[in-house]
Amino acid sequence: MYDFLVAPFVEFGFMQRALAGSLLLSLSACPVGVFLMLRRMSLTGDAMSHAILPGAAAGFLLYGLQIVPMTIGGLVAGAIVAVGAGAVSRFTLQKEDASLAAFYLISLALGVMMVSLRGSSVDLMHVLFGTVLALDDAALWLIAGIAVVTLASLAVFWRALVAECLDPLFLRSVSRLGPLVHFLFLGLVVLNLVGGFQALGTLLSVGLMMLPAAAARFWTSRVVTMAALAVVIGIVSCLAGLLVSYHAALPSGPAVVLIAGAIYLVSALVGTRGALLARVSHPHRHRTA
């Protein structure tokens, strides 16, 4: 048991850094995922994870696989896509979901093209799917900084974020914090996607953000409990995913996300809120409830 569960994290520094980075991501990204889900913006997170790709690719083209240029590029690209999609939806007849989809598809194609111009297929896979087992100290400090900013922002603006999720019009009518909280939240989404990009790549970073949050909703209706449970599910997913990838020689990022997906499916079946098995076993009770 020790050799399977503990030894990889004791004997190998790269496993220790991967575990530290994954745990920090779980602490910050999973609560953000809860608010994305409650706002019915789950697919927005997926779109934004693709939107950071051109900026990261630009940093890669100019400086190679260096964390600071790729991070700054990702933040700038994410901000441009968010503002651009919002402007199109505000000043044209197109809805925000359609404009965001258009922007993220353009961003994804542009980013892949930019990486392909200079890099090899290995570099492209690194950008798209990340290398959690190759996290260095600089990446860990970045992820730690993002976690601190995220947790501090959630602590200060928690009630306002919950209020905007439940009734944004009421929040705007009683407080001027509505627009500020909205843009602050979008900033936290982009920040955590950039942090997740360092470990899981652009295509999988949103998985650690959304799957634990979606699974937690099958067990509780309280936002605080939901966020805490999402963090626990994220931590378990990271631990199990890293162990599976180590012992089975599988890609670590997909392993983490697949474990989170398995927990989501189990939660959907047996969770205490809206479980599929309960609805199948007692269909009349749920119809009259």
Side-chain angles (χ1 to χ4, degrees), residues 192-277:
N192 281 274
L193 288 174
V194 169
F197 158 77
Q198 305 298 333
L200 302 175
T202 58
L203 297 184
L204 296 179
S205 59
V206 70
L208 185 60
M209 181 180 288
M210 294 310 308
L211 284 172
R217 197 173 190 184
F218 287 114
W219 297 98
T220 180
S221 58
R222 297 188 63 221
V223 180
V224 174
T225 308
M226 197 182 302
L229 183 57
V231 170
V232 172
I233 294 173
I235 291 173
V236 171
S237 301
C238 292
L239 278 168
L242 289 174
L243 288 171
V244 168
S245 70
Y246 174 81
H247 291 291
L250 295 173
S252 52
V256 169
V257 176
L258 283 175
I259 294 294
I263 295 175
Y264 167 79
L265 293 176
V266 171
S267 300
L269 288 172
V270 301
T272 56
R273 294 188 68 250
L276 293 178
L277 290 182

Side-chain angles (χ1 to χ4, degrees), residues 125-240:
M125 293 293 288
H126 170 87
V127 172
L128 292 178
F129 297 104
T131 51
V132 67
L133 296 181
L135 289 177
D136 55 15
D137 291 339
L140 285 179
W141 279 112
L142 171 69
I143 295 172
I146 290 173
V148 170
V149 171
T150 300
L151 294 176
S153 300
L154 291 178
V156 172
F157 294 99
W158 181 269
R159 295 183 65 182
L161 286 168
V162 173
E164 195 188 22
C165 287
L166 299 177
D167 194 343
L169 293 179
F170 171 76
L171 177 64
R172 293 175 186 177
S173 66
V174 300
S175 172
R176 296 180 179 179
L177 289 177
L180 172 63
V181 169
H182 180 72
F183 286 109
L184 170 71
F185 177 71
L186 290 180
L188 292 179
V189 172
V190 174
L191 266 179
N192 281 274
L193 288 174
V194 169
F197 158 77
Q198 305 298 333
L200 302 175
T202 58
L203 297 184
L204 296 179
S205 59
V206 70
L208 185 60
M209 181 180 288
M210 294 310 308
L211 284 172
R217 197 173 190 184
F218 287 114
W219 297 98
T220 180
S221 58
R222 297 188 63 221
V223 180
V224 174
T225 308
M226 197 182 302
L229 183 57
V231 170
V232 172
I233 294 173
I235 291 173
V236 171
S237 301
C238 292
L239 278 168

Side-chain angles (χ1 to χ4, degrees), residues 91-102:
F91 297 110
T92 70
L93 296 176
Q94 193 170 67
K95 299 295 185 181
E96 187 172 7
D97 59 339
S99 61
L100 189 60

Side-chain angles (χ1 to χ4, degrees), residues 23-108:
L23 296 183
L24 287 170
L25 282 174
S26 298
L27 284 173
S28 61
C30 293
V32 173
V34 168
F35 284 105
L36 268 176
M37 179 186 60
L38 293 177
R39 289 164 173 254
R40 299 182 180 180
M41 294 172 61
S42 300
L43 292 179
T44 300
D46 182 53
M48 293 305 299
S49 70
H50 295 80
I52 68 175
L53 183 56
F60 169 75
L61 286 175
L62 294 174
Y63 299 97
L65 292 172
Q66 294 188 25
I67 184 170
V68 174
M70 294 179 70
T71 298
I72 294 174
L75 288 172
V76 172
I80 290 174
V81 169
V83 173
V88 170
S89 64
R90 178 165 184 160
F91 297 110
T92 70
L93 296 176
Q94 193 170 67
K95 299 295 185 181
E96 187 172 7
D97 59 339
S99 61
L100 189 60
F103 271 84
Y104 102 75
L105 288 171
I106 295 170
S107 298
L108 178 61

